[in-house]
Amino acid sequence: MSSETAQDAPNHPLAVRMGVIAWLSHNVLIGSIFGTAGILLKPMQERLQVTPELASAGVPMVILGSAILASVAGVLASRFSLRSLIAGSAVASALAWLLLAFTTSFVAYLVAFGLLLGPAMSLAGAVVPPTLVTRWFNRNRGLAIGLVHLPVIVTIMPVAGNWIVEHHGVETLFLALAALSGLVLLPAALLVIDHPPGKTAKQAVSTGDPAVADTGLGLAQLLKHPVFWGLAIAAGSINTSSVLLGVHLVSMGESWGFTRDHSALLASIMSMVGIAGSILFGLVSDRIGGGRTLALITFDAGLLWLALLLGLPFPVVAVIVGLIGMHGSGAIPALSRAIPDALGAASFSRAYGLATTLTLPLMVIGVVGTGTVYRLNQSYAITILVMVAYFAVSVLLALWASRKRAAPAMAAPAAV
């Protein structure tokens, strides 16, 4: 009853403002990094005088930098002011884009993405926004978190960014991105209030329930659990697909004979249609289970990727790319449902975080390997076939994992 009372308590009048700032924080960081990855690939090859695989190293460096901080990001959010964390991330992001605008050094390129944008994304792009929402929203908390993560900026950035590069040069784009972080996100961060007046951070997220021992699986147990690996590898195929296309889709479109503007439009379509994926496949996973939904997503994705080999006209390719984006977004609710179904609800946070970390190398290999393969063969056909094979394996793993049900909770708490 105390838990229900806490969840039914009305939201503070400032909750909406905090939600808007959380949305801005997530969108500015994610949108500026992943929304420009595809359109920067060729300009950075020319600017840095490097190969395609080195020019595509930006996103892998962001992932690496984010992964390094990810293990402690939650601790930082609980111990330090959210205002300072968002503000610091905004400053780091602005400095990264300014560094890229005024230098042509490949080392500076790696520093900007790995040491500045990576940690900033981990904090202000991933951890802090839902933390801020959780502290301020009692009612409709899940809906608020969903709205905060709507990828609006990443949807419009490929087309807008490509227009800036074509008409004003890549330096102007970097300066615009620096202004977005320094002149928009930073002032907004200064308006953040860490938690409702009169509450501490812990009280802001309390449900009113007494403390209950966590009986979920520990990290060591998860690493030994074959079902965990099955779900992680299956979800990794979708995540690799999304990141790979985010970096290479513009170049892919040009290799298929489309103009650069049309190719950039494909990237926007993928993000735009992807907005519906988390809602649609969230509903599906509630009906058929997370594991089966993950199998459905990977099966569909394999067919959609295979269709990219057919030399189809732009309108058809746009539909295919949009559906790939929708399925990519659907992996998040599917995996979120599959983990508690198969491993137990108490194991969710550790299993989800560990799965994300362990599949990061697949994303890096996918992005860098695609650049290498294209440089050697001047074709993306091999990459497409490899992804189709990965999806086929993922379908089998997800179906197998969907047949497993969580065992009763253990009496002893997990070690970590």
Side-chain angles (χ1 to χ4, degrees):
M1 291 180 61
S2 58
S3 177
E4 293 176 357
T5 301
Q7 294 175 4
D8 290 338
N11 297 327
H12 191 278
L14 293 177
V16 173
R17 181 204 293 180
M18 298 304 114
V20 171
I21 297 174
W23 174 88
L24 189 64
S25 179
H26 171 78
N27 268 262
V28 167
L29 268 298
I30 300 299
S32 61
I33 295 170
F34 291 97
T36 60
I39 62 176
L40 288 177
L41 190 57
K42 283 197 173 181
M44 295 313 292
Q45 291 180 49
E46 300 170 358
R47 183 175 177 82
L48 302 176
Q49 295 297 301
V50 295
T51 60
E53 56 265 36
L54 291 180
S56 65
V59 168
M61 288 302 297
V62 168
I63 294 173
L64 178 62
S66 175
I68 292 174
L69 188 62
S71 59
V72 298
V75 177
L76 293 176
S78 64
R79 295 185 178 181
F80 294 92
S81 165
L82 300 185
R83 177 192 301 166
S84 62
L85 293 178
I86 296 179
S89 298
V91 171
S93 176
L95 289 176
W97 297 120
L98 289 174
L99 182 62
L100 292 171
F102 293 109
T103 184
T104 58
S105 166
F106 182 69
V107 174
Y109 173 71
L110 296 180
V111 169
F113 278 93
L115 298 183
L116 293 173
L117 290 176
M121 187 191 76
S122 181
L123 287 170
V127 174
V128 173
T131 301
L132 185 61
V133 171
T134 300
R135 291 183 182 181
W136 280 88
F137 282 81
N138 297 309
R139 293 179 179 173
N140 302 317
R141 182 181 290 172
L143 176 60
I145 291 177
L147 292 174
V148 162
H149 288 84
L150 287 179
V152 177
I153 293 181
V154 75
T155 299
I156 64 177
M157 187 61 74
V159 173
N162 185 66
W163 184 88
I164 294 174
V165 171
E166 292 288 338
H167 292 83
H168 302 285
V170 69
E171 296 88 353
T172 303
L173 175 61
F174 289 144
L175 292 175
L177 294 173
L180 186 62
S181 291
L183 302 181
V184 178
L185 180 56
L186 180 57
L190 300 179
L191 298 176
V192 169
I193 302 173
D194 278 13
H195 43 74
K199 290 187 177 182
T200 65
K202 289 184 179 180
Q203 291 171 335
V205 298
S206 174
T207 63
D209 284 338
V212 177
D214 183 5
T215 57
L217 300 176
L219 297 182
Q221 293 170 305
L222 288 169
L223 289 172
K224 297 177 183 178
H225 206 304
V227 175
F228 164 76
W229 282 102
L231 293 174
I233 293 172
S237 66
I238 298 296
N239 295 334
T240 300
S241 166
S242 298
V243 173
L244 192 158
L245 287 179
V247 175
H248 290 283
L249 185 55
V250 175
S251 295
M252 282 182 168
E254 290 182 298
S255 74
W256 297 330
F258 306 141
T259 66
R260 186 169 179 82
D261 287 342
H262 280 150
S263 300
L265 181 59
L266 288 177
S268 287
I269 290 173
M270 186 176 73
S271 298
M272 186 180 303
V273 181
I275 293 175
S278 59
I279 300 174
L280 173 62
F281 286 105
L283 295 172
V284 173
S285 63
D286 285 336
R287 295 293 298 273
I288 67 174
R292 291 189 180 91
T293 302
L294 200 56
L296 174 64
I297 290 172
T298 51
F299 177 80
D300 290 351
L303 294 180
L304 292 168
W305 270 75
L306 195 59
L308 295 176
L309 292 173
L310 300 179
L312 300 169
F314 177 80
V316 181
V317 173
V319 172
I320 292 172
V321 168
L323 291 174
I324 290 175
M326 184 179 72
H327 283 72
S329 298
I332 296 176
L335 181 61
S336 299
R337 177 63 186 261
I339 287 175
D341 285 350
L343 301 172
S347 304
F348 174 77
S349 59
R350 285 184 294 273
Y352 192 91
L354 185 61
T356 301
T357 301
L358 292 176
T359 55
L360 287 176
L362 296 174
M363 301 180 200
V364 174
I365 292 171
V367 171
V368 177
T370 296
T372 302
V373 170
Y374 181 76
R375 177 174 59 83
L376 296 176
N377 298 278
Q378 295 300 302
S379 171
Y380 288 101
I382 294 177
T383 293
I384 293 173
L385 290 174
V386 170
M387 284 302 306
V388 171
Y390 187 7
F391 285 129
V393 173
S394 297
V395 172
L396 298 177
L397 290 174
L399 284 175
W400 172 73
S402 70
R403 297 171 63 88
K404 308 297 180 181
R405 304 298 300 179
M410 297 178 297
V416 287

